Amino acid sequence: MNLILTLRVLVNGVLFGTTYGIAAVGLSLIFGTMRIIFFAQGTFIIFFAYISYWLLTLLGIDPYLSLIIVIPASMLLGSALYYGIFKEAAANEDKNISLLLAIGLMYLMENFMLVVWTPDPRSVVTSYTTLVFRPFGIVIPFTRLTTLFIAVLTAAGVFIFLKKTLIGTAVRAASEDVVSTTLMGINPNWVNAVAFAIGIGLAGVAGVALATIYPFDPSYGFIFAIKALIALALGGIGNVYGALLGGILLGLIESLGSFYVGGGWADAISYGVFLLVLIFRPQGLFGGSIKKA
Amino acid sequence: MANQLLEVKSVDVFYGDVQALWEVSIQVEEGTIVALVGANGAGKTTLLKTISGINSAARGEILFSGEHLENLKPQNVVDRGIMHVPEGRRLFANLTVLENLRLGAYVPRARPFFAESLERSFTLFPVLQTRKNQKAGSLSGGEQQMLAIARALMGRPKLLMLDEPSLGLSPIFVKTIFELISTLNEQKATILLVEQNINQALKIAHQAYVLKTGKIVMSGAGNELLADEEIRKAYIGERVGRRQR
Amino acid sequence: MDSSNVVLRLDKICKSFGGLQVLVDLDMNVERDEMLGLIGPNGAGKSTVFNVITSIYRPDRGDIFFLGEKITGLAPHKVCHRGISRTYQLVKTFLKMTVLENVMLASVYGGKHPDKGTMERALETLELVELTPRKDILATHLTLSNRRLLEIAMALASMPVLTLLDEPMAGLTTVEIHKLLEVIKRARDERKFSIIWIEHRVDAILDFCDRVVVLDYGVKIADGKPDEVANDPKFIEAYLGEPAA
Amino acid sequence: MIDKIYSYIKDKRHTNIFFTVLGALIFAIIPLFTDVEASYLIYFLFLTFIHIVIAQGWNLIAGYAGQISLGQNAFFGLGAYTTALIWLHDITKTGYYFDPVVMILSGLAPVVLAIIIGIPLLSRLRGDYFAFGTLGIGQIIIVVFLKARAITGGADGLHIPSTVYESMMPYYYTGLLLALFAIAVVYFITRSRIGFALRAIREDEMSAASHGVFILKYKVLAFAVGAFLAGIAGSLYAYYLFHINPDSVLNMNWLFYPILMCVLGGTGTIMGPVIGAFFMTAIFSFGDVYFAQTHPIVSGVLIILVMKFMPTGIIGLKDRILSRGK
């Protein structure tokens, strides 16, 4: 049944791609206000996957329930990171320094995790880990479906925040013109800190979601950062909505790539697509052109 | 002298090693229009940016209702009641008209009056009401300038600073903008206006200062300066405007 | 039309940014060894003309001919090799390089010249702008006026046929302006080349240029001898705004 | 006579040359006074030399031309694999240890990759976007090497027969020579007319172009030379490891080490990466010996602290202290 197989591949791609999508939305927000790619995003995702793992194994807290702790904690951590590390670099508008700071942070986090959790892969195992639905012969694991659900919910939450709240509008405004926002009386540090809080908060959500689906180890953070970056580029850097679509598209590309070309090639294919997009359509596949102020 | 809303006293400003303003002093009386005129590069925009806290003054004082502004960040200056409409408008092009206006009323001082201010803006600029859900970037140049001014008014400014509001607009819109500035003033707004359109600016200004290479070279009532032949020299040089040589 | 004497010809150049027409069907000629002034109010499109000539922007429509050959769309460095050099409104010298290194860069990469070595040309040009005593200090330590002179030296070090000067006098004091004018005059006497000169100081343009082109909203509104242009009402209106009353 | 030497050194242009030559002489005689086969010092210096080579490569592209490359691990790994493959198949028929031809070829293979990838990336992308574009080169090379199992041995990698190993001596001197070579290459490129172009591009691309600099050509050149240096560093490392696989020569440490060393010492200066390499290797080696597990955390903290408090590196620290005294 080739059709069913293809469908299964597609569904899996979408289900997994949403995790990339949430990560990319976080990257996109931080990029919008700070103009830097926050390389450590992937590493933080893995970090929160470990936190979720700890909460389960040490305290017996269900991963999905742990979101109640992880989301506020990660948002707090995000704003603390901004004020502690990135504030001066943001004020000096020195992008290279911010970039290297992010690299340093990623390096630090990854090695921290190696020490605390060793390089051996861990996975979160619960009673529902092996639960599977089979509508029309398509195999859909329960955890992936939940991930999709959480991703959609989170993305909707972020979009509503950006669209409906005043501070959300300010974040979008700052990603267009920071000076102009300060002339409205908006404190740029506040906006950046909010972007960081949401960015790392999304890493928290993505981390928990990832932990329920896949075994993970510390080095996976770097790969995930690249994946999120690819998703971002596909969607258009700075385009928050595009980032989510870009993530789903990347999930599809990987899923189709590993099915039709062979497992292991998926990384190379998605990277190839990424390069082509960067070179020929730097504004991304969705939406209009990048407007230069 | 009556109520001085803004007093700039002997301000020096540098860009790196280069001095851009030399002992500049101006006063803005409450309820008046004050114009800053002068050639490009004379330091008009620099002065506005210094008042609004984007640039910092190396020396001198800036007093607003008697309060020092020199070391405040731009967001805190806005908090005190100064709204600055920068050159080139700098709207948030991908945000809607309404969202732009909402951000104009961001400061806590103005936020509670949002609905009231919005109504006033829509009365002043009916066209903005019809386009309120359109992206700011899709407006025409003149409409964008209106939105920029409306956005600043949302902040309920005690002082409104306009940097080249007529720049890049077609002559018809230039006229509209100047009429608007007069109207605002009749409604008791205090306005500090930077303009290259010298005739129009001086015509509506109560008081004017002429800047040349970072220094105030002349000042006086708008209509006095308008009649003064010297100002043309200060502005675009000796030979322009003379009938015959 | 006798075109043998024309070095640069713009043919119906159009350029717009995001729906805003910046240049509209612009025709313009520069003759050999001519000093052409390009003036107009802020936002008239003057700098865009330079950016189009030096291929930083590609025109939407129209063509540019230099020494009889089409140069539209040529890479910027190739335009320089053909013999067009320029300065920028915001001085763009290389701050972390010494004065001599800056000029060397221009003479090494600006184009090949059989008779003179690159070092010889660099030193000679520095002499021309009187910066020889400062040749070993970093450009960042120069004053603004010396940085402008350095940028002019860089523009001349490639032995150009045509040089584009973008507001070389902006931000300078009267004394510095006199020196700059002197240097440009001397360079022209010694080297023989054409200049297009954008300037806000209209008096200087009228005094020094052989011919003046006036732009307003991207449209050429006057083109002629300085005296004719100075008394053209269209020009005065473009500059001062509509006459008051 | 002494006065003459002193004034020669005092001249800023000669200081770097003087210290490099002096350093080279000192390092050249060190093995005469130590037990080369047992000394940790020799191993430490050997590692430092490799680090200097790859750091100078990044220094040229990022520090001098201003284009941050995040793909140096790909070039390093490609160089290592090239050496291993030529050695195993005896392609050059020379077959001896530290064959210069093999090492040069191992530098050239990354150059080809750098040119193929560099031209489209550098002609279309600026700043961050270029950095992103280079980021995945390492990943794509890993995938290719894993998949081309017949040639590369897949995840297990390639084994060079370690029986040829006799002494640490040739490693040490080859490393020293390559480090000097890398310093000299970057020094002479930056002092030549190419150096003008690179520095101009770093400061302002548009202005450089309007002064006649063919920007793409020089950016690609810097990228390619950086790849060459990474490649020969990889080659030397392959000779040392005997067993190379994606994990050992393509891991992201080889992406971060050069950045870390340049940033630590001072990017865009000739001696910065050298100082940075000594510092970083010392810290890492010390950490390896005394607290093996946690030392990479320390280096992460170090990057952050350096970027936060002395963004111009150790070299820049000197200038900052001097200017504070003013």
Side-chain angles (χ1 to χ4, degrees):
Chain A
M1 286 270 75
N2 240 342
L3 179 69
I4 297 239
L5 215 54
T6 309
L7 261 179
R8 187 186 292 179
V9 168
L10 288 177
V11 168
N12 258 330
V14 172
L15 291 179
F16 199 69
T18 44
T19 319
Y20 295 147
I22 326 180
V25 169
L27 275 190
S28 175
L29 275 173
I30 296 176
F31 180 84
T33 52
M34 300 259 305
R35 303 280 143 195
I36 60 157
I37 286 296
F38 185 62
F39 275 110
Q41 178 84 353
T43 315
F44 275 99
I45 291 174
I46 301 302
F47 174 72
F48 288 112
Y50 275 112
I51 295 292
S52 155
Y53 167 80
W54 252 9
L55 288 173
L56 178 73
T57 51
L58 299 184
L59 301 174
I61 299 173
D62 181 87
Y64 296 126
L65 204 64
S66 76
L67 282 172
I68 300 170
I69 306 165
V70 168
I71 291 175
S74 53
M75 291 181 75
L76 211 63
L77 178 66
S79 47
L81 281 176
Y82 174 73
Y83 279 108
I85 297 178
F86 290 92
K87 193 178 151 200
E88 289 90 356
N92 296 333
E93 292 178 1
D94 196 326
K95 288 204 300 194
N96 283 354
I97 288 182
S98 303
L99 192 74
L100 293 172
L101 277 172
I103 288 174
L105 193 61
M106 166 175 151
Y107 199 73
L108 164 67
M109 290 297 294
E110 176 168 339
N111 287 297
F112 173 77
M113 292 190 290
L114 277 173
V115 170
V116 179
W117 288 292
T118 76
D120 304 328
R122 298 289 162 93
S123 45
V124 165
V125 181
T126 58
S127 55
Y128 45 78
T129 300
T130 48
L131 189 62
V132 163
F133 300 119
R134 295 178 194 278
F136 317 110
I138 307 166
V139 181
I140 301 178
F142 168 74
T143 50
R144 293 209 172 186
L145 201 63
T146 323
T147 298
L148 176 70
F149 181 67
I150 292 173
V152 169
L153 216 63
T154 313
V158 171
F159 295 153
I160 288 170
F161 168 80
L162 289 176
K163 192 76 191 168
K164 296 292 175 195
T165 66
L166 192 58
I167 183 73
T169 313
V171 169
R172 281 192 292 143
S175 67
E176 284 193 41
D177 186 339
V178 176
V179 175
S180 195
T181 51
T182 65
L183 290 179
M184 305 291 106
I186 298 164
N187 183 344
N189 283 325
W190 172 230
V191 171
N192 288 341
V194 167
F196 250 94
I198 301 176
I200 303 294
L202 288 169
V205 176
V208 172
L210 182 85
T212 58
I213 302 176
Y214 256 32
F216 49 90
D217 67 74
S219 71
Y220 197 49
F222 178 64
I223 296 163
F224 213 94
I226 296 180
K227 295 285 168 63
L229 185 62
I230 295 175
L232 188 63
L234 295 183
I237 294 171
N239 177 352
V240 179
Y241 308 96
L244 185 66
L245 291 177
I248 293 171
L249 185 63
L250 177 64
L252 281 174
I253 293 172
E254 287 195 343
S255 184
L256 289 172
S258 54
F259 183 71
Y260 286 106
V261 189
W265 282 108
D267 278 356
I269 293 169
S270 48
Y271 176 68
V273 173
F274 165 65
L275 269 190
L276 290 177
V277 170
L278 265 189
I279 291 170
F280 294 106
R281 221 181 133 76
Q283 72 271 32
L285 298 174
F286 315 110
S289 61
I290 304 172
K291 280 211 178 106
K292 286 216 165 164
Chain B
M1 281 296 243
N3 215 346
Q4 298 299 351
L5 184 63
L6 177 78
E7 286 181 88
V8 176
K9 293 181 181 171
S10 304
V11 160
D12 286 352
V13 175
F14 290 82
Y15 286 125
D17 313 334
V18 183
Q19 187 158 2
L21 292 182
W22 309 70
E23 298 209 358
V24 168
S25 299
I26 66 162
Q27 297 186 324
V28 180
E29 196 180 321
E30 193 152 3
T32 61
I33 299 175
V34 174
L36 287 173
V37 296
N40 209 36
K44 303 170 304 231
T45 298
T46 305
L47 181 54
L48 290 199
K49 284 184 174 174
T50 309
I51 296 169
S52 64
I54 297 175
N55 295 338
S56 58
R59 273 181 292 278
E61 299 183 325
I62 303 168
L63 293 171
F64 185 67
S65 304
E67 195 187 352
H68 283 271
L69 296 186
E70 298 94 76
N71 296 317
L72 293 186
K73 298 219 164 83
Q75 62 264 27
N76 304 113
V77 173
V78 176
D79 228 15
R80 303 291 188 282
I82 298 180
M83 292 301 280
H84 177 176
V85 181
E87 191 176 345
R89 307 183 277 267
R90 304 188 81 151
L91 294 170
F92 306 114
N94 286 322
L95 269 55
T96 64
V97 169
L98 197 60
E99 285 170 339
N100 269 280
L101 292 173
R102 186 162 277 146
L103 288 175
Y106 181 90
V107 284
R109 192 173 40 73
R111 221 179 288 179
F113 303 100
F114 175 72
E116 191 184 313
S117 311
L118 189 68
E119 204 184 311
R120 179 168 174 238
S121 293
F122 285 161
T123 320
L124 274 171
F125 310 100
V127 63
L128 294 183
Q129 185 160 24
T130 60
R131 319 220 149 174
K132 67 180 178 188
N133 292 320
Q134 228 167 294
K135 282 190 177 176
S138 68
L139 302 182
S140 76
E143 289 163 349
Q144 288 193 10
Q145 186 62 54
M146 288 180 184
L147 177 56
I149 295 175
R151 184 177 67 172
L153 290 173
M154 295 297 292
R156 301 179 77 83
K158 297 180 189 127
L159 173 67
L160 180 64
M161 303 201 292
L162 305 174
D163 195 348
E164 306 266 17
S166 73
L167 187 67
L169 300 186
S170 67
I172 284 192
F173 260 121
V174 173
K175 214 174 150 204
T176 317
I177 290 289
F178 277 101
E179 281 167 8
L180 172 78
I181 294 170
S182 296
T183 314
L184 287 175
N185 180 243
E186 282 158 22
Q187 298 173 0
K188 302 281 178 275
T190 313
I191 293 165
L192 180 56
L193 172 68
V194 161
E195 254 302 334
Q196 57 165 353
N197 198 321
I198 185 169
N199 284 333
Q200 295 272 19
L202 292 181
K203 205 167 83 178
I204 62 167
H206 301 98
Q207 176 77 17
Y209 294 89
V210 182
L211 273 162
K212 192 180 173 188
T213 55
K215 295 174 185 133
I216 302 276
V217 291
M218 282 167 97
S219 66
N223 44 13
E224 277 171 33
L225 287 183
L226 193 56
D228 196 327
E229 191 63 23
E230 282 294 309
I231 192 168
R232 287 160 197 278
K233 291 189 197 164
Y235 197 74
I236 48 176
E238 305 272 334
R239 293 172 50 172
V240 180
R242 270 191 249 154
R243 283 290 154 234
Q244 287 296 323
R245 275 229 284 178
Chain C
M1 188 178 89
D2 176 20
S3 62
S4 62
N5 218 16
V6 171
V7 287
L8 181 81
R9 184 159 66 85
L10 303 191
D11 183 24
K12 296 224 181 322
I13 296 290
C14 289
K15 179 75 196 168
S16 58
F17 294 106
L20 188 71
Q21 274 279 70
V22 181
L23 296 178
V24 188
D25 283 331
L26 180 68
D27 289 320
M28 204 169 100
N29 283 340
V30 184
E31 292 183 10
R32 194 166 286 281
D33 300 339
E34 182 184 37
M35 173 107 89
L36 174 70
L38 181 58
I39 58 178
N42 244 346
K46 304 179 300 280
S47 289
T48 308
V49 174
F50 278 14
N51 287 335
V52 164
I53 295 174
T54 55
S55 239
I56 286 170
Y57 301 148
R58 207 195 164 112
D60 301 335
R61 258 177 297 134
D63 276 311
I64 304 158
F65 297 89
F66 184 62
L67 301 174
E69 284 174 60
K70 198 166 109 173
I71 60 163
T72 331
L74 219 57
H77 66 275
K78 286 190 182 148
V79 174
C80 172
H81 296 167
R82 295 284 175 98
I84 301 180
S85 66
R86 71 172 290 182
T87 69
Y88 288 88
Q89 193 178 349
L90 299 167
V91 198
K92 287 195 175 198
T93 50
F94 301 107
L95 298 178
K96 289 174 187 161
M97 290 163 63
T98 67
V99 169
L100 181 60
E101 284 172 340
N102 268 281
V103 185
M104 275 299 279
L105 177 93
S107 73
V108 167
Y109 290 100
K112 289 195 174 61
H113 291 272
D115 2 322
K116 269 183 208 161
T118 51
M119 182 57 109
E120 190 188 352
R121 260 189 288 147
L123 289 174
E124 211 182 87
T125 331
L126 275 184
E127 195 63 46
L128 199 63
V129 300
E130 299 173 10
L131 278 178
T132 312
R134 293 169 186 273
K135 70 181 166 51
D136 290 323
I137 67 173
L138 289 180
T140 181
H141 297 309
L142 291 182
T143 61
L144 176 66
S145 118
N146 279 336
R147 242 179 270 159
R148 290 223 189 260
L149 286 174
L150 172 59
E151 206 185 13
I152 289 172
M154 290 164 76
L156 297 181
S158 61
M159 311 295 273
V161 180
L162 168 68
T163 291
L164 316 178
L165 302 177
D166 198 345
E167 292 200 38
M169 298 180 351
L172 303 192
T173 65
T174 319
V175 181
E176 291 165 344
I177 286 173
H178 277 293
K179 177 161 179 203
L180 188 98
L181 290 174
E182 220 175 88
V183 164
I184 293 173
K185 227 181 203 168
R186 188 159 20 133
R188 248 164 61 87
D189 291 343
E190 277 184 29
R191 292 260 177 107
K192 299 286 179 213
F193 53 95
S194 312
I195 292 180
I196 309 181
W197 183 348
I198 293 180
E199 194 52 76
H200 266 273
R201 307 279 303 235
V202 178
D203 48 349
I205 291 282
L206 296 179
D207 280 338
F208 274 92
C209 292
D210 306 316
R211 189 158 60 89
V212 179
V213 167
V214 187
L215 285 186
D216 196 17
Y217 299 112
V219 178
K220 187 163 88 173
I221 57 168
D223 183 347
K225 294 264 175 287
D227 278 333
E228 301 161 17
V229 171
N231 293 307
D232 188 331
K234 268 201 284 186
F235 157 68
I236 294 168
E237 195 187 311
Y239 256 83
L240 299 177
E242 275 178 78
Chain D
M1 178 67 189
I2 289 171
D3 281 358
K4 252 190 183 168
I5 293 175
Y6 183 69
S7 67
Y8 177 83
I9 298 165
K10 278 228 64 165
D11 185 333
K12 255 192 159 175
R13 279 168 299 178
H14 301 141
T15 323
N16 287 332
I17 297 180
F18 173 78
F19 280 112
T20 310
V21 172
L22 186 72
L25 285 175
I26 292 173
F27 290 125
I29 58 172
I30 281 182
L32 305 180
F33 301 101
T34 36
D35 176 5
V36 173
E37 309 312 327
S39 164
Y40 189 78
L41 178 71
I42 295 294
Y43 168 73
F44 163 75
L45 289 174
F46 166 68
L47 218 53
T48 308
F49 296 149
I50 291 185
H51 289 161
I52 290 175
V53 177
I54 189 172
Q56 287 293 11
W58 194 77
N59 189 31
L60 187 70
I61 174 78
Y64 283 98
Q67 313 297 314
I68 290 194
S69 159
L70 300 175
Q72 297 309 95
N73 61 335
F75 303 134
F76 183 85
L78 189 57
Y81 267 93
T82 310
T83 294
L85 284 172
I86 296 179
W87 173 265
L88 280 176
H89 301 285
D90 195 19
I91 292 168
T92 51
K93 301 288 174 214
T94 40
Y96 60 89
Y97 232 9
F98 297 118
D99 181 354
V101 178
V102 174
M103 297 192 84
I104 290 170
L105 286 175
S106 303
L108 288 179
V111 167
V112 174
L113 179 67
I115 292 173
I116 291 172
I117 289 197
I119 289 176
L121 280 184
L122 287 163
S123 63
R124 309 280 301 219
L125 305 176
R126 296 228 161 87
D128 290 356
Y129 286 69
F130 171 70
F132 311 154
T134 56
L135 182 61
I137 302 177
Q139 296 313 111
I140 214 169
I141 294 284
I142 289 176
V143 172
V144 171
F145 282 4
L146 283 177
K147 288 289 159 187
R149 195 169 297 131
I151 304 167
T152 62
D156 184 44
L158 301 167
H159 294 265
I160 302 174
S162 59
T163 45
V164 292
Y165 180 87
E166 278 166 7
S167 156
M168 194 63 198
M169 206 68 129
Y171 288 95
Y172 182 85
Y173 281 111
T174 313
L176 179 60
L177 273 179
L178 287 183
L180 289 174
F181 168 73
I183 296 170
V185 164
V186 174
Y187 182 81
F188 286 109
I189 285 182
T190 53
R191 292 293 142 140
S192 72
R193 47 177 60 192
I194 300 171
F196 283 147
L198 295 181
R199 286 151 72 201
I201 289 169
R202 177 182 65 184
E203 281 199 51
D204 192 325
E205 282 187 24
M206 194 202 286
S207 178
S210 59
H211 287 300
V213 179
F214 185 10
I215 304 173
L216 179 63
K217 180 172 136 192
Y218 290 99
K219 284 205 238 175
V220 171
L221 182 86
F223 194 48
V225 174
F228 181 81
L229 290 178
I232 56 169
S235 167
L236 182 58
Y237 197 62
Y239 277 125
Y240 177 75
L241 275 190
F242 292 108
H243 173 203
I244 63 162
N245 58 13
D247 250 3
S248 61
V249 296
L250 279 160
N251 71 48
M252 72 175 193
N253 282 341
W254 296 111
L255 188 168
F256 291 127
Y257 283 173
I259 301 177
L260 180 58
M261 290 180 283
C262 288
V263 166
L264 196 61
T267 317
T269 63
I270 190 74
M271 291 321 265
V274 179
I275 294 170
F278 271 100
F279 262 81
M280 193 199 81
T281 317
I283 294 168
F284 280 19
S285 304
F286 182 81
D288 260 341
V289 174
Y290 293 101
F291 37 98
Q293 276 228 303
T294 46
H295 85 84
I297 301 183
V298 178
S299 41
V301 174
L302 205 68
I303 304 182
I304 295 173
L305 290 180
V306 168
M307 289 323 295
K308 220 167 133 61
F309 296 107
M310 41 184 233
T312 45
I314 293 168
I315 294 258
L317 211 58
K318 187 191 73 185
D319 297 341
R320 270 170 54 172
I321 291 165
L322 288 181
S323 70
R324 201 170 293 168
K326 258 194 232 170

